[in-house]
Amino acid sequence: MTASNSLLALDFDGVLCDSCGESSLSAWKASEKLWPQIFAGTSEDRKSSLLNDMRVVRPVVETGYENMLLLRALIEERNTPAELLAGWSTFHPQLMEEWGLDRADMVNKFGEVRDRWIADDFEGWLAPNEFYPGVLDSTRVAMESSSCEVYIVTTKQARFTSALMAGMAGLPFEDDRIHSTTVSAAPKTHILSMLQENVGNGRELHFVEDKLSTLQKVIQDSSLDAWNLYLVDWGYNTTEEREWAQANSRIQLIGIDEFSKIV
């Protein structure tokens, strides 16, 4: 257990929930609508292969709409999964410019497809998601503790996070406990700073994330030095990223058993 009076900030995708199946399928639906000339008529075998490739490249995704770009890059065979993993920070802005895309518009298009899927078939939308075994139980223990404040800090739109926590996990979060960066594009460092200032006074601070680049940004901000940082070994990260984290004194690489001990 953490020390009394702790604040636990959890990423959602890759920490609490494996949403890769749903986000890839939502991206496929949105891509069919946006680029019908490219996606229409794809065979089921080809679609299945591409969706498998999406799990390989999932570690580079920060915001859901990026799945659409990845799918198009893959279906057009512009890049291999390995190339996308290694160079997404370069490819992403290049593709946005080349294809004449706007971030806010892409966020809306991706969200609209999810909203329609939820409205038409809520159970079907839930089904491809899966909560990581053991993580949800530990989170519930933390939420039930009078000495621990639990927040979700995510790039997923808040309404989808809330729907999954309530509808699938059976663990509803109040709206003010879910902080999403999707619409505002504010970095997670900004949210951590806000939590530290507003509810962190006198508390031990813990931030659990599966994306190394996010933790690296926290490390670079000296005003966030009070946060204990954790990279999970079950989320969307690579062997090389886990090795980097292990060699850094500011980050603790943890498995699910270790997670249960910090909450």
Side-chain angles (χ1 to χ4, degrees), residues 54-182:
M54 288 296 290
R55 184 163 289 279
V56 176
V57 300
R58 181 59 181 81
V60 303
V61 175
E62 290 193 1
T63 305
Y65 77 89
E66 294 175 47
N67 289 287
M68 297 170 65
L69 306 185
L70 288 163
L71 268 174
R72 180 169 172 180
L74 289 167
I75 199 171
E76 292 184 336
E77 299 183 346
R78 297 174 62 106
N79 307 98
T80 65
E83 289 170 344
L84 290 169
L85 268 179
W88 185 238
S89 61
T90 299
F91 297 139
H92 179 197
Q94 288 177 347
L95 295 178
M96 291 288 286
E97 182 176 2
E98 179 181 341
W99 295 337
L101 304 175
D102 173 74
R103 183 187 186 279
D105 183 54
M106 292 298 287
V107 167
N108 288 336
K109 282 181 167 58
F110 191 61
E112 286 167 1
V113 165
R114 273 179 162 160
D115 284 332
R116 174 50 54 192
W117 191 0
I118 290 170
D120 291 345
D121 181 15
F122 183 57
E123 293 301 320
W125 176 76
L126 288 176
N129 295 280
E130 184 177 1
F131 283 87
Y132 292 103
V135 177
L136 205 59
D137 291 338
S138 296
T139 302
R140 182 177 285 105
V141 169
M143 290 180 66
E144 292 173 350
S145 170
S146 61
S147 63
C148 186
E149 298 288 341
V150 184
Y151 291 82
I152 292 175
V153 180
T154 179
T155 58
K156 198 184 205 76
Q157 293 186 62
R159 65 186 185 275
F160 302 129
T161 304
S162 180
L164 284 163
M165 290 303 295
M168 191 173 193
L171 193 59
F173 264 67
E174 298 174 7
D175 289 345
D176 63 357
R177 298 277 174 154
I178 300 175
H179 293 274
S180 170
T181 68
T182 298

Side-chain angles (χ1 to χ4, degrees), residues 243-262:
E243 289 174 350
W244 193 97
Q246 281 186 303
N248 188 281
S249 60
R250 278 280 279 126
I251 301 174
Q252 297 181 52
L253 180 68
I254 59 170
I256 291 176
D257 287 343
E258 288 85 3
F259 176 75
S260 68
K261 295 173 183 175
I262 70 166

Side-chain angles (χ1 to χ4, degrees), residues 222-237:
S222 60
S223 70
L224 301 176
D225 283 350
W227 286 87
N228 295 288
L229 306 178
Y230 307 90
L231 183 74
V232 302
D233 69 3
W234 64 83
Y236 309 129
N237 48 54

